[in-house]
Amino acid sequence: MTLIDRFGRPITYLRISVTDRCNLRCVYCLPEEGIEWLPRENQLSAEEIARVVEAAAQGGVRRVRLTGGEPLVRPDIVEIVARLASISGIEEVSLTTNAMLLERLAHPLADAGLKRVNISLDTLDEDKFMRITRGGSIQHLWNGIAAAEAAGLTPIKLNTVVVNGLNADEILELALMTIENAWHLRFIELMPVGNAQNWGEGFPVLSDRYISVHEMQEWLSSFSLQPETAPTGNGPARTFRIPGALGTVGFISPLGEHFCQNCNRLRLTADGCLRPCLLLDGEINVRNALRAGEPILPLLQNAVDSKPEGHELFLQHYPESRRMAQIGG
Ligand code: SAM
């Protein structure tokens, strides 16, 4: 059986937020004081997550990405990966992380069946890294990347959210890293998800922050970027290579370019709600069904049936019910 939505899109990819908790407070993602975390009892257990993925695999889902919050702060993250990787039909389990805890966990995760990691890297400057993440250490990130490479969690993808007045001046330098490193760097447009507030002293105000991928590409025009076939799992990124480079540079444009027509994903929040679209509110609770021992596949079908044709940011319909860390960016 294949889960297919009303617009003919097969749903083969599930993104799972395993926790809303995070060990960083990136300015565009979380407020400095944090948010009220989910009550522990509402968070799905490893076994409950596995039951959703088993049903999803029966419905044709083949790839799963774990995210959050920060997935590596979950004490049972290795167990979660092991459970999901052993589910029949699941071809790939990958994970998005800030890498603060990756040095220690890369090998256990790889042994448990994790295939790849995406790592968030918004700046190459140590002090700015600490300011953007409100306390993160770029050295931990480099150590995490080295450990991930040693454990075979490759190819490494790096996600950079580009913000005017914050890190847009670094995109040339960031792109240059791909010449000697086989990393897939993706520049991402800032999405308006719960981050309209003031980010604090020295950070750009709301009206100045957004920069489109078109502008980013123009800034990189001196590199004569060559279009590339996207590496596996590059999702909506348009991918290019600096001639002769080992890695690639991609651009993800949730706002400037509409890529919803190719969307193949569903999301599962840490408290067990299926979310058909990152950027539109609307969810289906599976936690209650899980805890009542009811079948999950019909709820997956309902979520797929309610998947909108596309987000409606251009109509100023912004997601308001949750922050990015709660949905699983
Ligand atoms: N903690 C992990 C991490 O830092 O990668 C996983 C969760 S984080 C919410 C997932 C991704 O969402 C990160 O790459 C982050 O940069 C991105 N993100 C968060 N808020 C965003 C926003 N408003 N616009 C675009 N990307 C965003």
Side-chain angles (χ1 to χ4, degrees):
M1 174 202 169
T2 309
L3 292 162
I4 298 181
D5 77 359
R6 293 174 296 149
F7 307 97
R9 297 172 295 195
I11 305 303
T12 56
Y13 181 41
L14 181 65
R15 287 179 77 100
I16 303 175
S17 171
V18 294
T19 176
D20 61 337
R21 292 167 200 238
C22 192
N23 45 2
L24 299 180
R25 300 277 182 281
C26 298
V27 288
Y28 52 77
C29 192
L30 284 171
E32 190 159 16
E33 65 280 10
I35 52 174
E36 198 175 321
W37 305 125
L38 281 176
R40 288 267 185 219
E41 63 273 18
N42 287 1
Q43 182 174 284
L44 296 191
S45 67
E47 190 258 331
E48 288 169 334
I49 293 172
R51 277 168 54 209
V52 177
V53 174
E54 274 163 22
Q58 285 165 21
V61 166
R62 296 291 167 257
R63 294 194 296 123
V64 173
R65 171 169 297 277
L66 304 179
T67 177
E70 171 50 42
L72 301 190
V73 303
R74 249 192 94 142
D76 56 354
I77 189 66
V78 174
E79 180 198 341
I80 294 173
V81 168
R83 279 180 182 263
L84 303 193
S86 69
I87 291 173
S88 167
I90 296 301
E91 292 164 5
E92 182 183 272
V93 180
S94 58
L95 185 146
T96 298
T97 175
N98 59 34
M100 293 302 101
L101 301 172
L102 189 56
E103 184 177 10
R104 182 172 54 81
L105 283 165
H107 275 281
L109 287 167
D111 290 346
L114 191 74
K115 287 282 192 296
R116 295 186 294 106
V117 283
N118 286 13
I119 295 171
S120 303
L121 173 65
D122 296 326
T123 175
L124 296 173
D125 181 281
E126 193 173 342
D127 292 336
K128 203 197 278 186
F129 186 91
M130 191 173 282
R131 281 200 324 121
I132 293 177
T133 59
R134 297 197 182 103
S137 148
I138 201 166
Q139 194 51 51
H140 287 164
L141 180 141
W142 297 129
N143 296 348
I145 290 182
E149 287 187 319
L153 296 173
T154 54
I156 304 272
K157 292 197 184 140
L158 300 173
N159 292 339
T160 303
V161 178
V162 183
V163 179
N164 248 339
L166 185 63
N167 61 350
D169 58 333
E170 286 190 66
I171 62 175
L172 274 168
E173 214 185 325
L174 284 156
L176 281 172
M177 290 191 312
T178 66
I179 294 179
E180 292 191 353
N181 298 287
W183 297 337
H184 299 295
L185 173 66
R186 292 108 51 84
F187 293 117
I188 304 173
E189 287 177 351
L190 176 68
M191 291 183 251
V193 183
N195 55 12
Q197 76 280 7
N198 192 334
W199 295 349
E201 183 74 31
F203 289 107
V205 298
L206 178 61
S207 56
D208 293 346
R209 296 171 188 161
Y210 175 74
I211 158 170
S212 73
V213 294
H214 287 294
E215 288 170 90
M216 300 178 209
Q217 274 176 268
E218 269 170 32
W219 292 0
L220 293 175
S221 57
S222 58
F223 285 142
S224 314
L225 294 175
Q226 308 290 315
E228 275 270 316
T229 313
T232 318
N234 226 27
R238 279 171 196 261
T239 307
F240 300 84
R241 191 181 294 269
I242 298 173
L246 296 179
T248 63
V249 177
F251 299 89
I252 301 184
S253 170
L255 286 88
E257 289 164 19
H258 227 27
F259 47 64
C260 303
Q261 67 275 13
N262 298 322
C263 186
N264 62 349
R265 44 185 78 174
L266 268 189
R267 289 163 191 274
L268 177 67
T269 64
D271 56 347
C273 291
L274 290 167
R275 190 166 167 116
C277 175
L278 167 66
L279 294 169
L280 264 183
D281 287 330
E283 297 177 353
I284 289 181
N285 183 313
V286 286
R287 188 178 75 240
N288 297 340
L290 281 166
R291 293 185 181 173
E294 291 164 6
I296 301 304
L297 191 51
L299 294 175
L300 285 158
Q301 185 65 62
N302 290 350
V304 169
D305 289 343
S306 65
K307 196 168 163 62
E309 187 168 15
H311 68 66
E312 296 172 1
L313 295 177
F314 53 92
L315 297 174
Q316 266 77 51
H317 293 173
Y318 302 131
E320 282 167 359
S321 64
R322 293 183 191 256
R323 287 177 166 273
M324 197 68 121
Q326 295 168 313
I327 305 169

